Amino acid sequence: MSTTTLALMNRRPHGTLRGERLPAARRGADDDGVPEARRASWVLPAVPSSTSRARDLVRATLRDWTGRSEGEVPEVAEVAELLVSELVANALLHGRGEPVLTLTLRDGVLRCEVEDEDRVPLRARDRSPDDAEGGRGLLIVDSLSRAWGVRPTSRGKAVWFELETRP
């Protein structure tokens, strides 16, 4: 069985950010040999503009994977853009190092993951009305995704979520 890996080296919306690069190909535990899986991954520079860059990458990748034009982006892409934006912003604000964004599509499930070099686990805040305005990003992820979580990695941690792509 083979896994199709898509890397958008030649198709980058709005050019590349300084310092952006594709990570080394990963094999082993992350590559489970599921046929028809699609995967794309980028190392983003640790700068605020990486949040909007991540949204652009999600939109372009899902448009490419679904064969849709710019104006036909499915609703799942809009939700994925929002949630990836939250995870990248969290990695930049609370994490360390350059975030790695990975998208995987298989069996009608889109999994988005943002890895950073901080080993401190994350958790969603309580829904208290007395909380400050910030800190609700993971509540949004929890509300809009089918599942989400945090897993340790060799370089820190990865925060992930999944969305159904089929009705």
Side-chain angles (χ1 to χ4, degrees), residues 11-14 55-64 66-75 77-78 81:
R11 184 176 183 191
R12 295 185 186 256
H14 310 294
R55 287 191 302 267
D56 292 343
L57 291 167
V58 169
R59 184 181 319 110
T61 302
L62 293 179
R63 193 173 53 235
D64 184 53
T66 62
R68 305 252 175 113
S69 67
E70 181 72 36
E72 300 176 335
V73 177
E75 183 180 332
E78 293 175 359
E81 284 179 54

Side-chain angles (χ1 to χ4, degrees), residues 125-145:
R125 285 191 178 187
D126 296 331
R127 299 177 191 257
S128 169
D130 296 331
D131 281 348
E133 282 302 308
R136 291 192 170 84
L138 291 177
L139 291 175
I140 294 170
V141 173
D142 184 51
S143 296
L144 296 177
S145 66

Side-chain angles (χ1 to χ4, degrees), residues 62-145:
L62 293 179
R63 193 173 53 235
D64 184 53
W65 287 351
T66 62
R68 305 252 175 113
S69 67
E70 181 72 36
E72 300 176 335
V73 177
E75 183 180 332
V76 70
E78 293 175 359
V79 174
E81 284 179 54
L82 171 66
L83 301 185
V84 161
S85 185
E86 290 292 338
L87 296 189
V88 171
N90 276 350
L92 293 171
L93 186 60
H94 304 293
R96 291 185 324 157
E98 298 173 313
V100 177
L101 168 62
T102 302
L103 307 178
T104 307
L105 178 65
R106 78 177 87 183
D107 297 329
V109 175
L110 174 66
R111 182 181 175 107
C112 302
E113 183 173 283
V114 176
E115 181 181 5
D116 67 52
E117 296 175 13
D118 193 357
R119 296 189 186 279
V120 176
L122 294 176
R123 67 177 184 82
R125 285 191 178 187
D126 296 331
R127 299 177 191 257
S128 169
D130 296 331
D131 281 348
E133 282 302 308
R136 291 192 170 84
L138 291 177
L139 291 175
I140 294 170
V141 173
D142 184 51
S143 296
L144 296 177
S145 66

Side-chain angles (χ1 to χ4, degrees), residues 24-41:
R26 294 194 275 180
R27 286 285 194 214
D30 286 350
D31 185 6
D32 58 10
V34 175
E36 301 306 315
R38 295 181 175 189
R39 181 174 291 148
S41 192

